Amino acid sequence: MYYKGWYHFFYQYNPKGAVWGNIVWAHSVSRDLINWVALETALQPSIPSDQYGCWSGSATILPDGTPVIMYTGIDRPNLNYQVQNLAFPRNASDPLLREWVKPAGINPIIVPEGGINATQFRDPTTAWRAAGDTHWRLLIGSVAAGGARGAAYVYRSRDFRQWTRVRRPLHSAATGMWECPDFFPVSRDGRRVGLETSVLGPKVKHVLKNSLDLRRYDYYTVGTYDRRVEKYVPDDPAGDDARRQLRYDYGNFYASKTFYDPAKKRRVLWGWANESDTTADDVAKGWAGIQAIPRTVWLDPSGRQLLQWPIEEVEALRRKSVTLKDRVIKPGQHVEVTGIQTAQADVEVSFEVSSLAGAEPLDPALAGDAERLCGARGAAVQGGVGPFGLWVLASGDRRERTAVFFRVFRPARGDKKPVVLMCSDPTKSSLNPNLYKPTFAGFVDTDISNGKISLRSLIDRSVVESFGAGGKTCILSRVYPSLAIGKNAHLYVFNNGKVDVKVSRLTAWEMKKPLMNGA
């Protein structure tokens, strides 16, 4: 949240080690969402209703400007009985909000009654209250129908202390448990502007996001919210099918949360990426898990999906740069981008394909599964139009390389637009055999009839965070090179298709290191 000139970030943290357990709410603050200073722990087990853990939740700013945290506590051993608690700042005049208190006698304020599964009842959202309304509302993630359907339950309150559940969920789908729900308004007009969480009206759509416990990905739908009957209806009925549902990120990105930033009138998305190496590696380095670069999110003018882009503040880390212009990459060729170090870099590139006539047919068996399609047609498999893109964190001999690329397929039967696949292929990212190296992929809802498409990749040693077609499709991968480290990391543009691909313009910047939690 943003409070008195500071951005506040609270996160799940084990102060005793780099593995799961002993979970508290750590607390960091920033002026710019890039450079962070760690403060004292905000919440830790201290009352009966959180004595076995302080789990996820959200912050809400009350009308008088006071922030309040609602979070999930565990109050029984082994049974994993989940309840919801409140905490307030001890001193609301302190812009750093260094101390938080749990009011005596009122926690827990919400318990799993009325048939709720007590072991799957967590992660309250930011609350909202429409203009002129007397009731606050928030969502809690859970399951319905005996655990088969993920559900977001609505709770209402007049005073933020006594809460009553609405009988039916705001929405549910046959996907299993919904963790970390998020619910927020977006402007229908496609402007790159955020809306405060309580905004309603005819010019507003809503986004309902859930973190799907079974799949460990974050899914969302765009739809319409009717607060009179407390119901949300997705615009696309197929969006409730997890195989076809939209995702913020088609890579390693989970348990995300947005907040409204009143300082810059934008909605900012945070996402967590866990490690893909071993637990022993985590213990050796002393930490595990990172946050992705914060992203600004807004509704695409088509209304079909969100667009995402790294917050503008990350550009303050840019230093020395190099540029390529109008460089044609022939079939089977690659070109190195030299003149800067690329272990920590920001790369923006615009491609232009000479012809789409040679695009491959799309296997109907893989047409609905981008991840399987990328696994079968990875960067090393020659195609008609593509694969073309970047090799990042590559060794000089290219034995190690992570490919971020596009591949174009002929239009599906009855469709006019070619199908564009975006992939992150880390299968050759490291010579270390003890790594999890899945391919990640998503389809890009773009018309490439003119042959043009763009890519941006943020490269940060063990992280490759990529944005295709202006933020229509995003993929974050964790990679752990053994050779392509520091000055030994190289960057290439490659084309493994059968037609020429032109780099209309590529600019790559060295990135300086920000202040990471005061370290």
Side-chain angles (χ1 to χ4, degrees):
M1 65 179 170
Y2 183 82
Y3 186 73
K4 295 186 182 295
W6 290 88
Y7 294 100
H8 292 255
F9 179 53
F10 304 91
Y11 54 99
Q12 301 276 260
Y13 177 60
N14 178 1
K16 298 181 180 180
V19 295
W20 177 256
N22 308 301
I23 298 300
V24 304
W25 275 45
H27 183 194
S28 297
V29 293
S30 172
R31 290 287 197 183
D32 60 6
L33 286 171
I34 295 295
N35 296 283
W36 292 88
V37 175
L39 300 180
E40 299 86 350
T41 296
L43 300 175
Q44 55 192 343
S46 63
I47 58 177
S49 55
D50 69 11
Q51 60 184 308
Y52 294 101
C54 298
W55 286 10
S56 290
S58 302
T60 300
I61 306 293
L62 299 180
D64 65 359
T66 302
V68 56
I69 285 171
M70 176 93 73
Y71 69 99
T72 299
I74 309 301
D75 72 350
R76 303 179 193 182
N78 303 323
L79 290 177
N80 202 7
Y81 193 86
Q82 298 166 16
V83 298
Q84 317 310 322
N85 300 305
L86 277 184
F88 290 90
R90 185 179 297 278
N91 177 10
S93 65
D94 174 14
L96 298 183
L97 300 172
R98 280 169 284 212
E99 292 185 78
W100 291 80
V101 295
K102 305 160 188 175
I106 71 167
N107 283 317
I109 57 166
I110 301 176
V111 297
E113 295 178 329
I116 294 286
N117 185 328
T119 69
Q120 295 182 307
F121 180 64
R122 54 187 177 269
D123 312 333
T125 66
T126 297
W128 69 93
R129 188 174 71 173
D133 198 342
T134 59
H135 280 94
W136 288 98
R137 294 162 170 84
L138 58 76
L139 302 180
I140 298 176
S142 189
V143 291
R149 299 184 68 84
Y153 283 106
V154 182
Y155 283 78
R156 298 198 300 192
S157 173
R158 293 180 185 273
D159 61 3
F160 225 92
R161 286 166 170 76
Q162 294 183 320
W163 294 82
T164 302
R165 177 165 65 93
V166 175
R167 187 168 63 91
R168 295 181 182 274
L170 180 81
H171 191 58
S172 70
T175 57
M177 168 69 186
W178 284 2
E179 292 192 304
C180 303
D182 198 12
F183 189 59
F184 57 90
V186 288
S187 176
R188 299 178 72 140
D189 59 13
R191 290 184 301 136
R192 192 169 174 168
V193 64
L195 299 177
E196 197 277 326
T197 306
S198 292
V199 171
L200 298 170
K203 297 182 179 180
V204 171
K205 300 293 285 188
H206 272 77
V207 173
L208 176 61
K209 166 261 170 182
N210 65 77
S211 298
L212 195 55
D213 197 24
L214 291 176
R215 292 173 175 259
R216 309 304 287 179
Y217 293 134
D218 278 9
Y219 297 85
Y220 75 90
T221 55
V222 179
T224 302
Y225 167 53
D226 186 342
R227 72 182 173 95
R228 294 170 301 172
V229 294
E230 302 295 3
K231 187 175 183 180
Y232 167 82
V233 179
D235 291 345
D236 180 4
D240 284 332
D241 181 345
R243 293 168 298 178
R244 299 176 60 186
Q245 201 171 1
L246 295 165
R247 283 163 49 184
Y248 284 154
D249 192 293
Y250 291 85
N252 187 340
F253 190 94
Y254 192 69
S256 61
K257 181 75 178 75
T258 66
F259 76 99
Y260 176 67
D261 174 11
K264 293 199 171 181
K265 294 181 171 56
R266 60 186 172 178
R267 183 156 289 272
V268 176
L269 169 67
W270 283 95
W272 168 67
N274 63 353
E275 305 301 312
S276 299
D277 55 2
T278 67
T279 300
D281 291 324
D282 296 343
V283 172
K285 67 178 176 266
W287 57 272
I290 61 164
Q291 289 297 127
I293 295 295
R295 305 173 182 179
T296 303
V297 295
W298 68 101
L299 188 64
D300 185 272
S302 71
R304 292 190 295 265
Q305 66 167 94
L306 295 175
L307 296 176
Q308 303 170 60
W309 202 244
I311 56 168
E312 60 185 346
E313 289 89 338
V314 75
E315 297 171 19
L317 299 177
R318 290 173 171 175
R319 289 299 179 259
K320 183 180 178 183
S321 67
V322 295
T323 298
L324 296 179
K325 287 184 182 179
D326 298 325
R327 185 69 177 266
V328 175
I329 316 296
K330 294 288 185 181
Q333 284 190 341
H334 58 266
V335 173
E336 185 171 5
V337 179
T338 60
I340 63 169
Q341 71 79 22
T342 60
Q344 291 178 289
D346 186 355
V347 185
E348 294 194 37
V349 55
S350 298
F351 294 105
E352 190 168 347
V353 179
S354 59
S355 171
L356 298 175
E360 307 159 74
L362 181 58
D363 183 346
L366 300 175
D369 193 330
E371 206 160 288
R372 282 182 61 214
L373 181 59
C374 181
R377 310 290 288 171
V381 180
Q382 187 185 45
V385 181
F388 62 88
L390 301 175
W391 287 333
V392 305
L393 296 174
S395 58
D397 59 8
R398 294 178 300 285
R399 284 192 298 160
E400 287 187 347
R401 62 184 188 267
T402 295
V404 183
F405 65 90
F406 297 110
R407 195 179 199 116
V408 183
F409 296 87
R410 291 179 201 162
R413 181 175 294 178
D415 199 353
K416 296 180 179 179
K417 289 195 307 184
V419 176
V420 180
L421 179 73
M422 177 177 164
C423 295
S424 182
D425 180 355
T427 52
K428 297 183 182 298
S429 62
S430 179
L431 300 183
N432 182 345
N434 301 316
L435 298 175
Y436 177 55
K437 296 185 286 188
T439 54
F440 291 122
F443 294 109
V444 188
D445 183 12
T446 189
D447 186 353
I448 199 174
S449 299
N450 62 3
K452 296 179 179 180
I453 195 166
S454 66
L455 176 67
R456 182 178 182 185
S457 286
L458 299 174
I459 305 158
D460 188 14
R461 298 188 293 178
S462 74
V463 192
V464 182
E465 195 169 349
S466 301
F467 302 80
K472 284 180 176 285
T473 300
C474 309
I475 303 177
L476 187 153
S477 286
R478 300 300 307 277
V479 295
Y480 307 87
S482 57
L483 302 176
I485 297 171
K487 294 180 180 179
N488 295 319
H490 298 257
L491 172 68
Y492 299 87
V493 185
F494 79 95
N495 175 16
N496 197 21
K498 296 179 180 178
V499 299
D500 291 355
V501 174
K502 183 170 75 173
V503 176
S504 304
R505 182 182 182 91
L506 179 150
T507 303
W509 292 266
E510 291 184 2
M511 300 293 273
K512 76 169 187 177
K513 186 181 296 186
L515 186 68
M516 296 182 294
N517 264 350

